Amino acid sequence: MFETDLDAVPRFSIIVPVFRVQGFLRECMDSVLTQDHTDFELIAVDDCSPDRSGAILDEYAARDDRVQVLHLPENVGLGLARNAGLEKVRGDYVLFLDSDDTLVPGALSALAQRLDATEDPEILIFDYARTYWDGSARRNALAELLDESGAPAFSLAERPEILELLQIVWNKAYRRDFVEEHGFEFPVGYYEDAPWTFCTLITAARIAVLDRVCLHYRQRRQGGNILRTTSRKHFDVFDQYARVFAYLDAHPELSRWRPRMFRKMIDHYLTVLDDPGRLPHNAQAEFFHRAARDYRMRIPAGFVRPTGMAGGKYALLAKDAYPALAGLKVAGKVQRTVRKHAGKKVKQAKKKAMDLRYQALLRQPLDDKLAVYSAYWNRLPSCNPLAIYEKAKELAPDVHGVWVVKQHLADSGTIPEGFDYVVLNSPRYWEVMARAKYLVNNVNFADGVVKREGQVHLQTHHGTPLKSMGVDQKRYPAAAKGMSFRKLLARADRWDYSVSSNQHTTEQWERVYPCNFESVDAGYPRNDVYYRATAQDVLDIRERLGIAPGKTAVLYAPTMRDYQVGYVPRLDLEKISRELGEDFVLLVRTHYLHGKIAAHQELQERGALIDVSGHPVVEELCLAADALVTDYSSIMFDYANLDRPIINYADDWDTYVRSRGVTFDLLSGKPGDTPGVLATTEDELIEAFRSGRWDDERATELRAAFRARFCQWDDGNAAERVVRRVLLGQQTLPEPLPQDERTVAPSPRAAADIGLPGRRGACDDLGWDRRGRVRSRTPSQNLGTRATASHLRRSRTRCG
């Protein structure tokens, strides 16, 4: 907790209005709270955000006294949300920060020093840079207007060119008593910055500038910007300039600024008209006539039009001659078409090269009762898509599911009986891809697949991200390896829905895939089995895998390394098996991109381990294992659902972080970050098992915190929530059960106890239901989660 004197007046009050920004909000908040200048208060206004932004703000307020959160009962928009924050400010100066933007390090120190040097002007203007999804940044093009040479502070009359800067509020610090004296506040509607910016600037007696980038203005690739929204709300601009001229009417001493404000108004109107994406097509003429009316009503005496093309547009407004302006726009469009001719020729060539049959199929009606499923680049049915497929057969039986598989799988006969499938790139493949209403995958479909209007793409993903993903990989060449991030985002642009199992994942996906999809916060469907499998299921799986009764099975599942080529063993598995002793058995599963390893086969023949790399259902392996040893694999997040010991063998953490990047510090040892015991050498790993630390009270406590954070929505009903939202179109979904009411599959040890003759009474004392699943527990029992079995259906689910 950062403690501060609540009675002291801070130097800065920073107002952050928040709405639908959970993917970017932490970065914004951290950019403020990690500033080296700490004399500030941060007032975050939750504008009734429908996502979990409000909860994120509460997290920050709970650990930092400088953060105050206002939760508005209804959505009021950016301007009124800022006003709500203004009612709470106590600082000498007020700053506004949009919740997807960030302060650069040292920004507040630079502002404080400049304010001292300029003797506290009413307004201090500082610079900003636009930042883009690809990591690039571009400084404000008019940065030269912030030249600090000359008088430390000045009036607008002395430097009127300041008005040419973008009319925004977040690149300025406003002295609070100046704001309060004049009663400045934000209006409702689009372009709310215009009246605030112009009225404060023409009123201020002393203005100063800071020639330094203090803020990064995020250029959202999609969404998050009214300038990219086609809407009649752009008509709000007329009301905003009406407010500017009403202010001039009320302050005759400021009349000298009428020509300037008139020029800014007309330029703004023309900007809206010239942007083809802002106004609906059938509203453009109406907007022009409204602009022409304002032109004639507010033109100052003696006004001189600008020269060139801009002056011609002014003249057309003066005459209310919309047809002539439309002609100018057509001419401009022709010029732009000529400039892009070469690029269009390339696109046309690509289009002609596409299969003509597929083109014909794309013109046929969609089949609302057809869904296409794929997993892991067209391997066998598995993972989240398989769980959704199975639940869809129950809840949406009229939707027929078809799987995409590779040719060799179809030839091998390994596809489970009863699955309808198509072979990748076969004629029927292109037919179902063109006509299916629903497309479900845990990776991306091929670039050649066209997203049709009306099709629904569901991206299920296949893990919780510890490692950096999406556009974050651009910072790590070992992870990117020549990846085209534009193509990556073009594929993600096809997503309509993205499945998430926890808030951490939701925030990561929304940030690193800056596309317009809806997050389905449902839990991972593939994890449902952990809450539905019985004691007999666990014992049956172990028998099929060849695990002898009474053995403690340790699943070793490492992930791949981007900085290495191929499989490089990180453990001497024969030594580990020998040192753990005869009571333990190792189940070894390599990453799916590596497949089976010949050395593991040899060790299996010698009885040192069981190689399960080729086992098709990883969930079965988790159910069979008493403990998991992994490094940074996402399997740990899924396995945590079972509430069984997790040991992280992290011998190359620093290298992994530098080469791939991570989303949190797995090795911090803090509750919520670390799932259990950490080992960085083979000897430490062996000692953890020999000493019992792998399953002691500390490990149990860490695991509980890890489960609370990363198994947030997994309760056995994730697939149902996904099917109801995506295939059935239901808006209201069943809420996840509280963690202490969830039923989890028993551990192998407990499952064996249930099956022993004469032990039923003892098992009942431990809280087992008749299906052999845990009803309740205490930390010392370490047999599973507490549960209220009545909340879940009792149908037995056999794994695989």
Side-chain angles (χ1 to χ4, degrees), residues 286-511:
E286 179 187 353
F287 187 96
F288 181 90
H289 296 314
R290 286 279 302 275
R293 186 188 67 182
D294 278 8
Y295 186 104
R296 295 191 300 272
M297 180 174 63
R298 296 195 177 118
I299 183 169
F303 178 76
V304 178
R305 295 174 191 152
T307 59
M309 178 69 77
K313 293 180 179 179
Y314 272 58
L316 295 177
L317 274 178
K319 299 175 182 177
D320 197 7
Y322 177 70
L325 179 68
L328 281 176
K329 293 176 71 174
V330 169
K333 183 177 181 180
V334 170
Q335 292 178 347
R336 290 192 297 272
T337 300
V338 170
R339 288 195 297 268
K340 295 180 180 179
H341 183 68
K344 285 191 174 182
K345 291 285 287 184
V346 172
K347 292 180 180 179
Q348 289 172 356
K350 289 181 178 179
K351 187 175 181 180
K352 289 180 180 178
M354 291 185 66
D355 182 79
L356 295 179
R357 183 172 182 273
Y358 183 45
Q359 288 292 315
L361 290 168
L362 290 172
R363 292 191 291 270
Q364 294 185 14
L366 287 175
D367 185 345
D368 290 341
K369 304 302 180 182
L370 179 62
V372 176
Y373 295 86
S374 178
Y376 295 116
W377 298 277
N378 310 304
R379 290 176 168 86
L380 290 174
S382 64
C383 192
N384 291 319
L386 177 58
I388 294 167
Y389 166 83
E390 295 288 357
K391 184 57 65 172
K393 290 197 298 183
E394 174 188 336
L395 298 180
D398 56 334
V399 177
H400 179 66
V402 177
W403 283 85
V404 179
V405 298
K406 295 180 178 179
Q407 181 70 59
H408 74 89
L409 294 173
D411 295 340
S412 67
T414 57
I415 301 171
E417 186 177 347
F419 283 79
D420 188 7
Y421 65 89
V422 295
V423 173
L424 180 67
N425 290 326
S426 67
R428 190 181 173 218
Y429 164 81
W430 290 111
E431 180 180 355
V432 297
M433 295 303 295
R435 300 203 56 200
K437 170 77 170 183
Y438 306 100
L439 300 175
V440 183
N441 208 329
N442 68 351
V443 289
N444 277 305
F445 287 101
D447 292 344
V449 172
V450 174
K451 168 67 180 295
R452 294 183 60 181
E453 184 177 356
Q455 278 188 324
V456 176
H457 279 230
L458 171 61
Q459 170 60 260
T460 74
H461 306 280
H462 54 274
T464 291
L466 167 63
K467 61 187 177 184
S468 63
M469 297 291 289
V471 297
D472 276 1
Q473 295 177 78
K474 193 174 180 65
R475 303 197 299 268
Y476 302 96
K481 292 181 179 176
M483 179 188 302
S484 169
F485 288 93
R486 293 192 181 276
K487 289 184 178 180
L488 171 69
L489 293 180
R491 292 188 288 269
D493 281 337
R494 299 184 299 202
W495 305 350
D496 294 288
Y497 297 97
S498 166
V499 176
S500 175
S501 60
N502 51 66
Q503 179 64 18
H504 168 82
T505 299
T506 297
E507 293 175 24
Q508 290 296 318
W509 293 159
E510 291 190 9
R511 186 178 60 80

Side-chain angles (χ1 to χ4, degrees), residues 63-75:
R63 61 176 182 258
D64 197 318
D65 287 337
R66 296 172 298 178
V67 179
Q68 179 182 173
V69 180
L70 304 179
H71 294 284
L72 302 185
E74 61 181 358
N75 178 249

Side-chain angles (χ1 to χ4, degrees), residues 150-201:
F154 51 86
S155 68
L156 187 62
E158 295 173 280
R159 290 176 66 171
E161 64 273 14
I162 290 295
L163 287 173
E164 298 308 311
L165 292 168
L166 195 63
Q167 58 264 32
I168 47 179
V169 303
W170 40 254
N171 69 335
K172 304 173 183 72
Y174 300 90
R175 206 172 67 207
R176 177 170 59 91
D177 60 4
F178 166 69
V179 172
E180 293 175 346
E181 176 187 354
H182 295 278
F184 292 123
E185 62 180 9
F186 290 91
V188 298
Y190 280 17
Y191 307 110
E192 76 293 329
D193 283 11
W196 172 285
T197 301
F198 291 135
C199 293
T200 55
L201 285 174

Side-chain angles (χ1 to χ4, degrees), residues 538 541-548 551-558 567 571 573-574 576-577 580-581 583-591 600-601 603-604 607-615 617-630 635 639 642 644 689 748:
V538 173
I541 296 168
R542 286 170 66 91
E543 182 178 359
R544 291 199 301 272
L545 292 173
I547 302 171
K551 292 274 190 176
T552 297
V554 177
L555 175 61
Y556 174 53
Y567 175 73
L571 282 175
L573 296 175
E574 188 170 27
I576 298 296
S577 177
L580 292 186
D583 291 338
F584 286 81
V585 59
L586 287 180
L587 310 177
V588 179
R589 184 179 183 84
T590 56
H591 191 272
H600 293 173
Q601 294 292 307
L603 290 174
Q604 177 169 277
L609 54 81
I610 300 176
D611 186 357
V612 293
S613 298
H615 194 79
V617 185
V618 71
E619 291 79 23
E620 288 191 349
L621 303 179
C622 291
L623 284 165
D626 296 87
L628 170 70
V629 174
T630 186
I635 194 175
Y639 191 79
L642 290 167
R644 302 178 192 174
F689 280 100

